[in-house]
Amino acid sequence: MKTVGKDRPPLLTIRDLRIEGKSTNGWTRLVDGVDLDLARGEVLGLIGESGAGKSTLGLAAMGFTRDGCRITSGSIGFDGIDLARCGEHVRRDFRGKRIAYVAQSAAASFNPAHKLIDQHCEAPVVKKVMPRAKAEAEAVELYRKMRLPQPEGIGFRYPHQVSGGQLQRAMTAMAMACKPDLIIFDEPTTALDVTTQIEVLASIRDIVEQFGTAAIYISHDLAVVAQMADRIMVLKNGRTVETAETRTMLSAPQEEYTKSLWAVRSLERPRQERGTGARPVMSLKNVDAGYGAAKVLEDVSFDIHCGQTVAVVGESGSGKSTAARVISGILKPSRGEVLFEGRKLPADYLSRSREDLRHVQMIYQMPDTALNPRQSIRDIIGRPVEFYLGLKGREKEQRIRALLEQIELDPAIYMDRRPTELSGGQKQRIGIARALAAEPKFIICDEVTSALDQLVAAGILALLARVQKERDLALMFITHDLATVKAVADEVVVMQHGRVVETGAVETVFANPAHAYTTHLLQSVPEMDPDWLTRRTMSNRAVPA
Amino acid sequence: MGRIWILVGERLALGVITLLVVSALIFVGVELLPGDLAQEILGQSATPETVAAFRHELGLDQPAIQRYFHWLLGAVQGDFGTSLANNRPISELLSVRLGNTLFLAAFAATVSIPLALTLGILAALYRNSIFDRLCNVVALIWVSLPEFFVAYVLILFLAVRVALFPSLSNIDPGMPFGELVYRSFLPALTLVLVVMAHMMRMTRAAIINVLASPYIEMARLKGMSRLRVILYHALPNALAPIINVVALNLAYLVVGVVVVEVVFVYPGLGQLFVDAVTHRDVMVVQSVGLLFAAAYILLNLIADVLSIVTNPRLMGERR
Amino acid sequence: MTRFFQTLKTAPYTAWFGMAVILLVAIIAILAPVIAPYGETAVVGEQYEPWSSQFLLGTDNLGRDMFSRLIYGTRNTVGLALLTTAIAFTVGSLLGIVAAVVGGMTDRLLSRIIDVIMAIPSLILALMLLTIVGASIASMVLVIALIYVAPVFRLARASAQSVVVMDYIQAARLRGEGLGWLVVREVLPNIASTLVAEFGLRFCFVFLFIAALSFLGLGIQPPTADWGSMLKENATLISFGDITPLLPAAAIAVLTVSINFVVDWMLHRSSGLKD
């Protein structure tokens, strides 16, 4: 952690900035009167939920607005020049040379048609900062500093030949190519797995410190920002909520909104004890499964009991979603079986009875794609009511009302709306209502909160806990987020490379992980302590891999 | 052996199979023709004996499978059998006309492709400018015009009202090149006008589609100029769709000549084909149909292969 | 309904022009016998009479009134194109959606058949098929419909495929819904706007196609009035610098341009107000 010097000269001074974006009904405020100061060498964290205007503000610091957006007032002073008013050629000259950008998805932001090194050298060569040979030599040096494997060779690969975590580091190296004064990091680790994230975070922090570059670090994840930033600014609906130094902000947030953001991280729930000897509602027994020749699941077994939530955790590619596909009958296992209340279910959903289908329901990750945009809420919830329970007319209508009330949406308002007229959290609630409408005994929740903002996600989790209690449901909760596991689950199943590496009660596993991978996973989750990353990387270096 | 060549090999194999299937279909189609071919040619008054003898002469008494392979093998070697209308070998009719048609198509292609691509790139570069909107509206009007309308308008204004070019393109291969170009100018111009609009619109669309990608925003955030963003960052990724459009239009040129040739009485394959269809000269229809289909499949095949080879995501595996 | 009118207000001039022309053509087609001064096939004067108050646009090669034939031609050419497109669309889009929803062998089989149809240039295929089945209005409609099933199938399949991967389709499958429900209630509403725009475009192609066939003498047969064959019949006049024979071709052009204007606007809107 750098010490914040009050005496450092200012680099970026944004005053009363207002940015509007074109929407279907006119112009909407995206950034609404924000002031921002950044000194040379300082790192500012921008925190906020989706729609807070973080990215818009970050891009504006480069004098850039996306197509369909415009700066309506305010100034963006960068080293004495107002980027909101100077000519386009001045801005263009600054970009890439004095201000650089690191995007959220490196995989999408590298041009697939050119080699990494060509893209790296583009800015320094085109802007005549240095000749090609020097730029290439420096690129290799930067790759080495970012701890990329084979720094001499990796630049000669195309983006699709390099993994996501490495691309993100290569992009940071590219941003450094002209030794800029300022770098904008726009959620650079959000798309990565936790164990990859920690390495990328460490290398980003080291290089920024080493070159003394000022940075704006944008993220929705407070714990991540806490590791990177000297100061934190909280944004909501395009306005500043509060700004403070990182330690102060973490220990003593002033505003209600900030406090509520902090609070959701520490949700926990009272554990449900499993009745001994009770038959599980759903079991996987020694399941192998895969797509074609690629084996994704190997000898996977676990049980889920009535009234209990079992969290299945693992990183991308661990096979946790595949396990759900096997249970729901979309993917036929090559070995092993799926038992529902002790009875073997047909492997293919097409051969399952309507009653079996009714009892295994699903809630999806992306609320946007989970609901048919061309159907009204009435149709979406009403269909399973009619299909499974045979209710029609008035009875069906009453049931839909009851379900909407249960998910805390007013039937009078929402009954005849379409999904596009709802917010993400509301859509996810409709997804829950659709699953409940079938009156199932078992529901698979596939990353149901990962597309939602923290406060909204907390509401969804609370709702799920309530209906679970009311209906004595068995829930299988697929997630990559260990904080969510603590908040919802009774038991946890840890998966890696298609195998179950550890199972047990949440407290036991979290307190005393038996498997090395579980330990590694747990230690990679960022904590709300600004010294966490330093401690973690120190301990990692002390124990050579 | 890279993945890329396996893909290319697959496409080539698929192309050959398609061609075989199409040739079989053409053959079977003619087989299904109501009535007996020999009877039809000789007329109702012919005795059964003469019909049988004629059937034997045409090889019609052999099983269909055998005749199909005989025909196909012949076609591969350039022997298409004899025309029913005038008893001349079809290959003799074809060779000159094929040359004429290819000349016309090539003429139109060399003018239209560079012009259309340049205009398309410019329209994408100056998106939403007056120039772009103008291009867009003109192109939109142009793709909607029937070829014969364009052809007759050109005749009316460039041949009749102002006698710049001949309205009838009676060319023959012995003419000097300049004369060939002069005489086939109007049909070529018609084709250029007809295919250019479509090609230009698709080029613009392909580039604009790519312009929405995050890596384009990245390039702009690296401070690259508009021209560099388009040429270095967008164009390589838009190549595959553009190549496809060009090939599609080339294929269209080869086929679209039919109507244009009829209007200008241009002695090409299209004319021959329409005449044969009108006179129900099935042997010629069969042969010219196969030739057109082969050209069309070949061009589409080339487009497929090129778009695999230029696919950025397969780069680095080329070797 | 109010929303519909609000949308109309945002239409550019080109789209307004297009909609006006389409409306006018529809009225002319429906009221043809009322508007036309003479019968469709009636010989009412000398060959190639010039424009006059008696014959607004003169007479054709057989002494029939050009103006009346132009009006009747609207009905014949547009009507047949509409019928053909409708057949191609119903068959093509249903097959396309079914292929996307069912997948597997059904999809592969249907796609290969369509590939073969698409591998033969359409005009050549049409001419060959017409040689085989003989030129008549019914066979022409069926042949062109068959040819245009292919591109419609491809488009419907491609757009349905992007819908089929959505979670709500999986939810419906896991609920145990049958093929009919999936195709009609879940997928079709989501690709309807794409299909409508495509209908407009395909109609233009079919319309031009019929006109071209008639122009080549292989489509709508005389004495039925039709814009393509009218040009063919009177083409000689052009070499005398007379524009009358071009009028039916111009009519074709104006109608297709209009439809394209409207479709372009619709596509532009559905692409989410971009650029």
Side-chain angles (χ1 to χ4, degrees):
Chain A
M1 207 68 192
K2 285 170 283 188
T3 46
V4 185
K6 293 263 186 288
D7 50 340
R8 285 190 292 194
L11 178 67
L12 181 71
T13 317
I14 292 179
R15 285 291 169 269
D16 194 34
L17 184 66
R18 284 167 211 274
I19 301 175
E20 292 181 343
K22 209 176 200 166
S23 62
T24 36
N25 36 1
W27 293 89
T28 330
R29 278 277 157 82
L30 299 176
V31 172
D32 195 3
V34 169
D35 294 340
L36 185 152
D37 290 279
L38 187 70
R40 283 192 176 273
E42 189 188 17
V43 179
L44 176 74
L46 275 188
I47 272 275
E49 306 194 290
S50 53
K54 316 184 286 287
S55 289
T56 314
L57 183 58
L59 290 171
M62 308 182 72
F64 184 88
T65 46
R66 292 212 160 109
D67 291 338
C69 295
R70 61 177 188 196
I71 295 175
T72 48
S73 71
S75 63
I76 306 161
F78 178 80
D79 209 15
I81 290 167
D82 185 357
L83 294 181
R85 273 171 199 82
C86 67
E88 180 62 25
H89 62 283
V90 179
R91 284 195 283 259
R92 188 184 294 156
D93 185 51
F94 274 17
R95 288 178 203 146
K97 192 159 87 185
R98 299 196 56 194
I99 317 176
Y101 181 76
V102 175
Q104 171 168 2
S105 168
S109 296
F110 269 116
N111 192 325
H114 302 292
K115 290 175 185 157
L116 293 181
I117 195 121
D118 292 338
Q119 302 191 47
H120 185 109
C121 299
E122 188 180 12
V125 172
V126 170
K127 292 176 181 294
K128 301 194 168 58
V129 176
M130 59 185 88
R132 167 88 193 193
K134 183 153 187 283
E136 258 183 46
E138 287 199 2
V140 171
E141 200 43 48
L142 283 166
Y143 290 154
R144 196 187 314 277
K145 285 208 170 81
M146 291 304 292
R147 294 193 279 280
L148 278 164
Q150 307 159 15
E152 294 85 7
I154 198 163
F156 295 91
R157 295 199 206 157
Y158 286 92
H160 67 271
Q161 298 170 311
V162 179
S163 77
Q166 292 171 2
L167 277 183
Q168 207 68 54
R169 280 185 257 181
M171 179 153 283
T172 307
M174 181 163 83
M176 281 290 177
C178 295
K179 306 287 170 320
D181 300 308
L182 171 64
I183 301 186
I184 316 292
F185 291 96
D186 194 352
E187 307 246 13
T189 62
T190 306
L192 304 176
D193 281 325
V194 274
T195 51
T196 319
Q197 166 172 276
I198 185 170
E199 294 160 22
V200 175
L201 284 180
S203 46
I204 288 181
R205 199 178 63 170
D206 287 356
I207 203 159
V208 167
E209 232 162 78
Q210 208 171 341
F211 288 101
T213 317
I216 293 180
Y217 196 99
I218 299 168
S219 178
H220 68 285
D221 188 338
L222 199 57
V224 166
V225 171
Q227 312 309 317
M228 311 304 281
D230 304 315
R231 264 191 315 141
I232 293 178
M233 182 178 204
V234 182
L235 283 179
K236 189 192 181 190
N237 298 332
R239 291 168 191 269
T240 313
V241 177
E242 61 179 309
T243 313
E245 282 185 23
T246 302
R247 278 167 207 281
T248 324
M249 185 68 106
L250 292 182
S251 54
Q254 298 298 307
E255 301 291 322
E256 273 314 309
Y257 176 71
T258 321
K259 284 178 192 162
S260 66
L261 276 185
W262 273 220
V264 291
R265 297 195 55 90
S266 44
L267 279 182
E268 285 201 32
R269 83 170 214 161
R271 304 288 159 224
Q272 310 289 311
E273 283 307 314
R274 176 203 297 184
T276 44
R279 195 174 55 183
V281 177
M282 183 61 73
S283 317
L284 278 185
K285 287 259 180 290
N286 311 102
V287 166
D288 287 4
Y291 305 95
K295 214 170 190 187
V296 183
L297 292 184
E298 266 190 279
D299 197 25
V300 169
S301 307
F302 55 83
D303 298 331
I304 298 158
H305 287 260
C306 194
Q308 255 203 333
T309 302
V310 171
V312 181
V313 293
E315 298 184 296
S316 47
S318 62
K320 52 191 194 304
S321 292
T322 310
R325 290 169 71 86
V326 169
I327 292 176
S328 58
I330 299 166
L331 182 68
K332 281 184 258 185
S334 51
R335 188 175 71 97
E337 50 197 28
V338 180
L339 301 177
F340 175 67
E341 298 187 318
R343 181 170 46 86
K344 188 181 176 204
L345 281 181
D348 187 344
Y349 75 94
L350 289 171
S351 340
R352 292 185 186 175
S353 69
R354 194 174 278 199
E355 197 59 10
D356 285 341
L357 291 172
R358 176 167 83 84
H359 281 302
V360 180
Q361 290 295 312
M362 224 162 144
I363 305 170
Y364 295 88
Q365 174 175 12
M366 309 300 295
D368 289 332
T369 63
L371 308 178
N372 194 329
R374 296 284 163 179
Q375 291 176 356
S376 66
I377 303 308
R378 182 197 297 272
D379 293 338
I380 291 171
I381 303 179
R383 181 61 184 172
V385 169
E386 186 180 329
F387 189 79
Y388 290 126
L389 311 176
L391 299 185
K392 288 202 163 54
R394 181 183 289 272
E395 276 182 303
K396 179 175 152 190
E397 170 104 9
Q398 278 172 351
R399 184 61 64 93
I400 300 172
R401 277 177 193 285
L403 283 162
L404 280 173
E405 275 157 15
Q406 197 166 17
I407 55 164
E408 296 149 14
L409 291 179
D410 185 351
I413 299 173
Y414 293 101
M415 192 87 130
D416 291 303
R417 291 210 178 170
R418 286 182 188 252
T420 41
E421 298 168 277
L422 305 184
S423 72
Q426 288 171 332
K427 280 184 224 172
Q428 200 57 298
R429 282 169 189 263
I430 301 295
I432 294 174
R434 178 175 60 186
L436 293 178
E439 307 202 333
K441 291 186 175 167
F442 173 70
I443 300 181
I444 300 171
C445 306
D446 188 358
E447 301 265 13
V448 289
T449 54
S450 64
L452 303 174
D453 286 325
Q454 285 180 30
L455 290 176
V456 180
I460 295 288
L461 294 181
L463 172 65
L464 276 172
R466 206 191 72 221
V467 296
Q468 177 179 35
K469 200 160 185 178
E470 285 167 10
R471 304 193 174 204
D472 218 18
L473 280 167
L475 295 183
M476 171 175 168
F477 209 97
I478 299 170
T479 181
H480 67 281
D481 180 17
L482 293 166
T484 312
V485 174
K486 260 193 218 167
V488 299
D490 305 302
E491 295 200 9
V492 60
V493 174
V494 183
M495 293 191 67
Q496 186 196 16
H497 305 321
R499 289 174 175 277
V500 174
V501 297
E502 187 165 0
T503 57
V506 171
E507 296 90 346
T508 327
V509 173
F510 274 47
N512 292 305
H515 194 276
Y517 175 70
T518 316
T519 318
H520 182 47
L521 200 60
L522 285 169
Q523 287 185 344
S524 303
V525 179
E527 290 167 19
M528 289 284 277
D529 168 6
D531 300 323
W532 169 79
L533 184 61
T534 318
R535 259 190 291 122
R536 196 57 74 219
T537 46
M538 294 289 270
S539 71
N540 279 2
R541 272 168 216 169
V543 190
Chain B
M1 189 76 175
R3 189 152 61 101
I4 199 162
W5 295 119
I6 297 174
L7 281 173
V8 169
E10 266 173 20
R11 280 314 138 93
L12 288 175
L14 202 65
V16 172
I17 292 171
T18 318
L19 199 53
L20 278 176
V21 172
V22 168
S23 70
L25 278 182
I26 292 175
F27 186 80
V28 170
V30 172
E31 283 294 299
L32 289 178
L33 213 59
D36 186 67
L37 207 56
Q39 183 83 57
E40 201 160 299
I41 298 161
L42 295 175
Q44 289 303 323
S45 56
T47 59
E49 288 77 40
T50 29
V51 173
F54 191 56
R55 281 176 61 86
H56 182 74
E57 193 190 320
L58 288 178
L60 285 178
D61 50 352
Q62 286 163 356
I65 292 277
Q66 206 176 325
R67 277 185 290 128
Y68 167 66
F69 282 107
H70 184 76
W71 171 68
L72 194 65
L73 276 176
V76 170
Q77 294 160 2
D79 172 16
F80 291 90
T82 41
S83 159
L84 299 176
N86 51 17
N87 251 330
R88 282 167 54 196
I90 295 173
S91 47
E92 206 174 282
L93 289 169
L94 287 186
S95 59
V96 176
R97 285 171 173 263
L98 179 65
N100 289 348
T101 292
L102 287 181
F103 172 74
L104 185 56
F107 185 2
T110 39
V111 178
S112 60
I113 293 173
L115 212 55
L117 294 191
T118 315
L119 282 176
I121 291 172
L122 284 176
L125 185 59
Y126 300 104
R127 182 150 60 125
N128 290 337
S129 66
I130 302 285
F131 168 74
D132 177 34
R133 278 158 207 253
L134 203 68
C135 273
N136 203 27
V137 171
V138 170
L140 200 55
I141 293 176
W142 221 262
V143 287
S144 323
L145 299 181
E147 300 111 319
F148 47 83
F149 178 68
V150 178
Y152 277 121
V153 168
L154 289 180
I155 291 185
L156 183 64
F157 289 104
L158 297 182
V160 177
R161 298 235 164 131
V162 186
L164 282 176
F165 297 98
S167 66
L168 296 185
S169 310
N170 48 341
I171 62 159
D172 86 65
M175 287 178 184
F177 186 73
E179 184 72 14
L180 279 180
V181 170
Y182 172 69
R183 295 214 174 181
S184 50
F185 188 83
L186 284 186
L189 183 60
T190 310
L191 286 172
V192 166
L193 292 175
V194 168
V195 294
M196 223 180 73
H198 183 244
M199 258 194 290
M200 192 220 100
R201 266 171 76 86
M202 298 302 282
T203 306
R204 174 183 180 272
I207 292 180
I208 285 179
N209 194 20
V210 169
L211 285 182
S213 321
Y215 54 80
I216 296 299
E217 183 175 281
M218 191 69 210
R220 293 173 65 192
L221 288 171
K222 277 160 82 179
M224 296 301 132
S225 67
R226 251 180 120 77
L227 190 65
R228 191 176 166 88
V229 167
I230 298 250
L231 293 183
Y232 185 76
H233 289 276
L235 199 56
N237 292 292
L239 267 187
I242 292 175
I243 288 173
N244 255 313
V245 171
V246 169
L248 200 78
N249 280 286
L250 280 179
Y252 180 83
L253 274 181
V254 174
V255 178
V257 294
V258 174
V259 172
V260 175
E261 284 183 3
V262 169
V263 174
F264 291 96
V265 202
Y266 184 92
L269 275 187
Q271 264 265 285
L272 179 67
F273 191 64
V274 172
D275 283 349
V277 171
T278 335
H279 299 128
R280 302 197 78 180
D281 187 345
V282 283
M283 294 304 281
V284 175
V285 171
Q286 212 175 29
S287 312
V288 182
L290 184 66
L291 218 52
F292 272 124
Y296 194 76
I297 292 170
L298 188 70
L299 282 165
N300 278 315
L301 189 66
I302 293 172
D304 272 0
V305 170
L306 280 179
S307 57
I308 291 174
V309 177
T310 54
N311 182 350
R313 305 210 183 262
L314 290 169
M315 276 191 195
E317 292 171 40
R318 213 181 330 183
R319 212 170 299 279
Chain C
M1 209 53 193
T2 47
R3 193 185 268 182
F4 176 70
F5 283 115
Q6 269 174 358
T7 319
L8 273 187
K9 264 188 215 158
T10 65
Y13 297 119
T14 48
W16 272 110
F17 169 78
M19 286 185 281
V21 170
I22 293 169
L23 196 68
L24 185 70
V25 167
I27 292 172
I28 292 177
I30 293 165
L31 299 179
V34 183
I35 304 172
Y38 301 97
E40 182 180 353
T41 55
V43 177
V44 289
E46 292 296 305
Q47 195 184 10
Y48 296 135
E49 279 192 42
W51 297 11
S52 65
S53 56
Q54 194 188 357
F55 305 112
L56 277 179
L57 300 176
T59 58
D60 71 356
N61 59 334
L62 297 177
R64 295 169 296 192
D65 181 44
M66 276 295 273
F67 182 63
S68 304
R69 282 181 70 75
L70 202 57
I71 285 167
Y72 277 104
T74 318
R75 188 177 247 200
N76 299 330
T77 317
V78 176
L80 283 178
L82 212 54
L83 176 67
T84 312
T85 321
I87 297 175
F89 250 77
T90 319
V91 178
S93 51
L94 276 183
L95 284 181
I97 301 176
V98 167
V101 171
V102 177
M105 274 309 287
T106 317
D107 182 25
R108 256 172 284 162
L109 191 70
L110 282 173
S111 299
R112 283 300 89 75
I113 295 174
I114 296 301
D115 282 350
V116 170
I117 299 182
M118 297 279 282
I120 311 174
S122 47
L123 188 59
I124 305 300
L125 181 59
L127 290 178
M128 283 197 298
L129 287 176
L130 286 174
T131 319
I132 294 162
V133 297
S136 74
I137 288 192
S139 59
M140 182 193 73
V141 167
L142 289 179
V143 162
I144 300 179
L146 172 75
I147 290 170
Y148 277 94
V149 161
V152 174
F153 171 90
R154 280 220 180 144
L155 177 85
R157 176 171 172 271
S159 8
Q161 270 178 334
S162 61
V163 174
V164 163
V165 294
M166 295 289 173
D167 289 333
Y168 57 83
I169 301 293
Q170 195 190 88
R173 284 185 203 266
L174 287 178
R175 198 188 304 139
E177 301 286 4
L179 180 62
W181 175 278
L182 288 173
V183 169
V184 178
R185 303 298 294 271
E186 301 282 347
V187 178
L188 188 60
N190 283 294
I191 65 170
S193 59
T194 317
L195 289 178
V196 168
E198 184 70 7
F199 189 91
L201 285 181
R202 287 297 155 197
F203 172 79
C204 288
F205 285 128
V206 169
F207 184 61
L208 290 174
F209 203 104
I210 292 181
L213 279 183
S214 303
F215 172 75
L216 295 174
L218 297 157
I220 300 172
Q221 298 296 316
T224 312
D226 148 77
W227 292 348
S229 36
M230 282 172 75
L231 174 56
K232 173 83 170 174
E233 288 157 9
N234 304 299
T236 339
L237 272 187
I238 294 173
S239 42
F240 299 106
D242 189 338
I243 61 155
T244 318
L246 283 178
L247 290 177
I252 295 171
V254 170
L255 182 58
T256 44
V257 167
S258 306
I259 294 173
N260 267 322
F261 277 157
V262 177
V263 169
D264 192 56
W265 170 58
M266 281 166 58
L267 286 178
H268 194 78
R269 274 187 50 78
S270 68
S271 68
L273 297 165
K274 269 186 291 190
D275 88 343

